[in-house]
Amino acid sequence: MATPTVINKFGTMQGWNSITVNMLGRDVEGITQLKYTDTVTKENVKGGGLYPIGRSVTDYEAEASITLYKEEADALRASLPKGKRIQDIASFDITVDYAKPDGVISRDRIRNCEFTNDGVEVSQGDGTIATEYTLIISHIEYNVI
């Protein structure tokens, strides 16, 4: 029996439809985009000679944002006490699950999130309204399960 030729060694790729975002205790449906990234500042240390003698590691920085449809943002605001803004929401974690076709799930966790902005931007002809919310976060945990 002939062995099948694998054209794509990764199989079915993960995409937007394979993620689940959980924020404030519920899966978020009215989401159009999620961005998160972190960096560690690393620099070569100079000494005697032409080449670096070592490497320093200094600051860690993490950034995140989430883009929500107005309906999702309105529901979030409606859950708050009167007079409170989304920027007043206490720090929370966002969990992002990536489901692979074989049923295996990998999870990232965006830690200690708080909203830093609110507002609306809409133009003539827009069929939907979505806003990008910048989050201040402490750090990102990758591959936690």
Side-chain angles (χ1 to χ4, degrees):
M1 179 175 205
T3 304
T5 302
V6 177
I7 296 171
N8 177 353
K9 70 179 182 178
F10 298 116
T12 303
M13 305 294 282
Q14 297 174 71
W16 182 252
N17 293 334
S18 66
I19 71 167
T20 301
V21 176
N22 187 287
M23 178 176 81
L24 297 165
R26 61 181 280 279
D27 290 346
V28 181
E29 295 177 354
I31 179 174
T32 65
Q33 187 176 46
L34 177 66
K35 293 190 275 187
Y36 56 98
T37 184
D38 62 358
T39 58
V40 175
T41 303
K42 296 180 180 186
E43 296 178 352
N44 285 329
V45 176
K46 302 290 185 164
L50 178 64
Y51 300 106
I53 60 168
R55 189 162 286 150
S56 68
V57 178
T58 57
D59 295 332
Y60 172 87
E61 292 288 331
E63 298 176 352
S65 69
I66 189 168
T67 302
L68 301 175
Y69 283 118
K70 186 160 186 333
E71 291 77 7
E72 187 76 53
D74 288 346
L76 181 58
R77 283 187 207 92
S79 71
L80 299 174
K82 293 294 181 204
K84 292 293 183 180
R85 303 157 36 107
I86 64 170
Q87 295 97 321
D88 298 328
I89 297 172
S91 139
F92 58 92
D93 292 344
I94 294 177
T95 301
V96 186
D97 288 341
Y98 296 87
K100 298 178 182 174
D102 60 5
V104 174
I105 293 177
S106 65
R107 174 175 292 159
D108 295 340
R109 188 167 291 125
I110 307 167
R111 301 302 306 264
N112 305 306
C113 305
E114 292 182 42
F115 290 97
T116 64
N117 68 303
D118 197 1
V120 174
E121 185 176 334
V122 63
S123 300
Q124 190 280 325
D126 288 350
T128 60
I129 300 171
T131 301
E132 181 177 2
Y133 295 93
T134 304
L135 303 168
I136 184 170
I137 65 174
S138 64
H139 63 287
I140 301 165
E141 297 173 337
Y142 294 97
N143 197 31
V144 293
I145 63 167

